[in-house]
Amino acid sequence: MSTIDLNKPILDYNDRLAAENHALLREKGVFVLDLMASPGAGKTSLILATIDALRDRYNIAVIEGDIASDVDAAKVKDYGIPAVQINTGGSCHLESNMIRRALDILDLDALDLIIIENVGNLVCPTEFFLGENAKVMILSVPEGDDKPLKYPNIFQISRAVILNKLDTLPVFDFNRAAFDDAVRRLNPQAPIFPLSATTGEGVQTWITWLSEQIERCDG
Amino acid sequence: MHEMSIMQSVFDAAFKALNQSGETRITEIKLTIGEMTEIQDVSLRFAFEALKPNTPARNATLSITMLQPRSCCHDCDAEYTHDRFTMLCPHCGSMNVELLQGRELQIDALEADNEPFVDVDPDVDPFAQFLYQGGADAEPEPERVGD
């Protein structure tokens, strides 16, 4: 009988590959955003709005993570933006080896910004470092103001929290003060960006913040 | 369901370490999990039971130590434990705080030996057995380490 000490992170392999991704992207001068949200919260709509606002300043590509289909990648390609679709085949989150294969397909020398659209899920993507510069999450108004209480981890690890579908506030019983308070308790430093990706309301504030993150990374 | 891929990573690391050790049978796997992760004890145990048959861990038990979140305040220098929902400094109310502990996902150690494997009835469905035994409810409460 013997004790074998390991004392290492369970996701050591994922983390090491993610660190390699991060080093490669840093060398190429590419900022990577990992966007997380529930299915239907507006990830693709926000990505398209972000592309609209930033395509003249930055060369952008998108990595789409879904269990199946290439619906989202097709939407992005229709915008004239390079997109790689990852089908996880049932897995509820992206892992760093999947991102590595997507990076092999993209022309990193020609890019400034990669947006990763993670699999729609408020739980699983939070534990997996992909090599990104920042994880950002979206909650949409119809999902309800109680989500920080139900899924605390994703609010805690996000660099910023986007509240999407602001234009639907009049028809949903969504308590903004309660939501903001719950987010601040979980993640005091994260800015909250209320916006509507489809009407454009509030989008500019998000774009300004994101641009600052990209410029800071370049510096 | 990400507990399944997390447990697969545990097994990958455990089998690699076992091969290097010269031992043949794992009898216990010890993990430390921070409460600020979204990892469920019951799901982790379920994944463990599902993955262990026909492996060197088929006679192994799983021990989980849960760690309570701990943060420090950069304004009043207080260090404090807290729940999963409130990181704010309980002493001065500051938001200028930093999480020190609570996001661990760590494999601590294995117990292993060279004893023969105790045969498990191949007709017994490990899922059914796990559920029949009351699932994780039948397991001892995970040890919790706080202050």
Side-chain angles (χ1 to χ4, degrees):
Chain A
M1 170 77 89
S2 62
T3 301
I4 306 166
D5 287 321
L6 283 120
N7 294 318
K8 65 177 189 178
I10 292 172
L11 297 176
D12 193 39
Y13 178 67
N14 181 77
D15 291 349
R16 271 188 287 127
L17 266 186
E20 285 177 25
N21 290 347
H22 188 74
L24 172 67
L25 291 157
R26 191 183 170 89
E27 180 196 321
K28 300 287 185 185
V30 184
F31 184 92
V32 180
L33 177 72
D34 177 19
L35 197 56
M36 307 175 296
S38 310
K43 291 184 290 300
T44 310
S45 302
L46 184 73
I47 287 171
L48 296 180
T50 303
I51 290 170
D52 273 339
L54 290 178
R55 66 187 308 161
D56 292 340
R57 277 173 70 186
Y58 301 118
N59 293 308
I60 307 172
V62 176
I63 297 174
E64 291 284 351
D66 285 294
I67 286 175
S69 92
D70 62 353
V71 173
D72 283 349
K75 278 186 201 167
V76 173
K77 282 179 183 165
D78 282 349
Y79 256 54
I81 296 289
V84 179
Q85 179 76 51
I86 298 173
N87 283 146
T88 63
S91 178
C92 46
H93 58 271
L94 293 172
E95 297 187 12
S96 55
N97 60 342
M98 303 175 189
I99 298 301
R100 165 55 56 87
R101 291 200 291 274
L103 295 180
D104 287 342
I105 295 170
L106 293 167
D107 180 6
L108 299 181
D109 289 320
L111 291 175
D112 307 306
L113 169 64
I114 295 176
I115 305 174
I116 299 171
E117 180 174 343
N118 218 312
V119 179
N121 186 322
L122 290 181
V123 182
C124 309
T126 59
E127 305 297 349
F128 294 85
F129 179 42
L130 306 175
E132 72 278 359
N133 296 88
K135 286 189 188 296
V136 168
M137 71 159 296
I138 306 173
L139 187 87
S140 63
V141 167
E143 292 171 77
D145 56 63
D146 56 356
K147 291 302 166 288
L149 304 177
K150 294 183 173 179
Y151 304 93
N153 199 28
I154 192 165
F155 289 90
Q156 200 253 322
I157 63 145
S158 293
R159 183 88 66 86
V161 175
I162 292 166
L163 179 62
N164 192 23
K165 307 189 187 178
L166 200 61
D167 50 318
T168 67
L169 261 182
V171 292
F172 287 100
D173 182 20
F174 188 97
N175 186 330
R176 266 300 302 279
F179 175 75
D180 288 7
D181 183 57
V183 172
R184 278 206 196 93
R185 283 173 183 279
L186 281 166
N187 190 345
Q189 283 100 14
I192 301 170
F193 298 112
L195 56 82
S196 167
T198 50
T199 70
E201 180 186 2
V203 170
Q204 190 50 51
T205 313
W206 150 248
I207 293 298
T208 302
W209 180 86
L210 178 60
S211 305
E212 284 168 7
Q213 307 303 307
I214 296 169
E215 298 303 327
R216 194 176 299 165
C217 184
D218 279 349
Chain B
M1 272 310 289
H2 61 317
E3 283 85 353
M4 196 62 88
S5 53
I6 284 169
M7 189 50 73
Q8 186 62 59
S9 300
V10 169
F11 276 39
D12 290 345
F15 298 155
K16 195 172 165 190
L18 184 75
N19 287 338
Q20 289 167 355
S21 74
E23 306 281 15
T24 53
R25 187 179 78 138
I26 299 173
T27 55
E28 186 179 5
I29 296 179
K30 298 173 184 175
L31 308 180
T32 294
I33 308 289
E35 287 181 6
M36 215 86 181
T37 63
E38 216 80 71
I39 302 297
Q40 292 300 309
D41 175 56
V42 59
S43 303
L44 212 50
R45 290 184 184 283
F46 190 84
F48 177 73
E49 295 301 327
L51 291 172
K52 78 179 193 184
N54 305 314
T55 74
R58 60 185 180 272
N59 292 157
T61 57
L62 179 65
S63 302
I64 302 174
T65 301
M66 299 298 291
L67 283 183
Q68 193 179 7
R70 175 190 290 275
S71 289
C72 66
C73 174
H74 291 308
D75 286 336
C76 77
D77 292 331
E79 203 176 302
Y80 51 93
T81 54
H82 52 88
D83 64 16
R84 295 171 65 202
F85 301 99
T86 302
M87 282 182 64
L88 297 182
C89 177
H91 303 283
C92 72
S94 171
M95 295 189 195
N96 186 16
V97 298
E98 184 183 344
L99 188 73
L100 301 176
Q101 166 186 299
R103 291 201 41 78
E104 293 73 11
L105 271 179
Q106 166 127 335
I107 177 163
D108 298 326
L110 311 175
E111 296 294 336
D113 60 23
N114 279 313
E115 298 297 316
F117 285 97
V118 178
D119 280 342
V120 178
D121 183 349
D123 291 333
V124 174
D125 178 348
F127 293 101
Q129 194 179 34
F130 178 73
L131 293 172
Y132 177 72
Q133 290 166 349
D137 293 340
E139 299 287 338
E141 278 291 301
E143 185 188 344
R144 178 171 161 156
V145 180
D147 302 293

